[in-house]
Amino acid sequence: MKRLNRAGQIRAEYLELSASTGIEWGKIFFFDGAKCVARADRLGPARMVAPGTLAVSASGRQWMAVGGDRVNGAAGWSFVSPYIEQRPVNGDAVRFNDNAKSLKIRARLDAYLDYFQSVKGSLPESVVLRREQLFACGALPGQLYKGIRLEAYV
């Protein structure tokens, strides 16, 4: 069996403690780094936590809050592996896919951002992509790409 990451190990310790004492600790544990900061009975909306917060269920499934900002909360939950330590990148947990389609979309996005900056003199606050483009890249609406918020076309 693979070794669980730090959050998974702490969750297992809580479950052992719950079994030995009979005290119910909750079904979802929220971690900020390696420290458990909250417990709840359900996952709930991502806007209630800061980006980079890791949520671990009693069954061992793990999600990371992605997108958004620390003031308004995260934009969504992204499922992550319980066997790999997940670290946020500059406060965000963006990990884009590296398949051919994703690389092509990101190359076009980079070209657009370069063009926009050359014409306007600054970068846009957000860029709107189709949902299938976001899905191909492995991103969620609200995530940041090079400091630019990615939004989904409705």
Side-chain angles (χ1 to χ4, degrees):
M1 183 171 153
K2 289 184 180 178
R3 184 179 169 185
L4 291 172
N5 61 13
R6 181 76 179 129
Q9 291 172 354
I10 294 172
R11 183 234 4 129
E13 291 171 7
Y14 272 111
L15 291 178
E16 288 175 16
L17 184 62
S18 177
S20 64
T21 62
I23 298 172
E24 182 65 35
W25 291 96
K27 295 182 174 103
I28 303 285
F29 302 92
F30 297 93
F31 293 89
D32 187 15
K35 181 176 142 190
C36 183
V37 293
R39 299 178 311 272
D41 288 332
R42 62 185 184 90
L43 189 59
R47 68 178 178 272
M48 303 304 283
V49 298
T53 300
L54 191 66
V56 183
S57 71
S59 64
R61 295 185 60 149
Q62 296 185 9
W63 299 268
M64 184 173 277
V66 295
D69 55 35
R70 295 190 87 63
V71 175
N72 298 318
W77 292 106
S78 177
F79 182 74
V80 294
S81 172
Y83 304 108
I84 300 169
E85 294 291 344
Q86 302 290 333
R87 303 262 188 254
V89 178
N90 294 328
D92 197 15
V94 177
R95 284 167 179 67
F96 291 103
N97 295 336
D98 284 335
N99 57 33
K101 195 171 190 177
S102 174
L103 293 173
K104 186 175 181 181
I105 292 169
R106 288 173 22 212
R108 288 183 177 176
L109 184 58
D110 287 338
Y112 170 74
L113 293 175
D114 289 341
Y115 170 76
F116 191 95
Q117 188 168 23
S118 69
V119 172
K120 299 278 187 171
S122 64
L123 290 171
E125 289 184 22
S126 65
V127 173
V128 179
L129 299 174
R130 293 190 316 266
R131 287 202 182 270
E132 59 267 16
Q133 290 174 318
L134 283 173
F135 179 74
C137 289
L140 292 173
Q143 283 186 317
L144 298 177
Y145 176 73
K146 297 185 177 179
I148 309 301
R149 183 179 305 278
L150 299 177
E151 298 294 343
Y153 179 76
V154 180

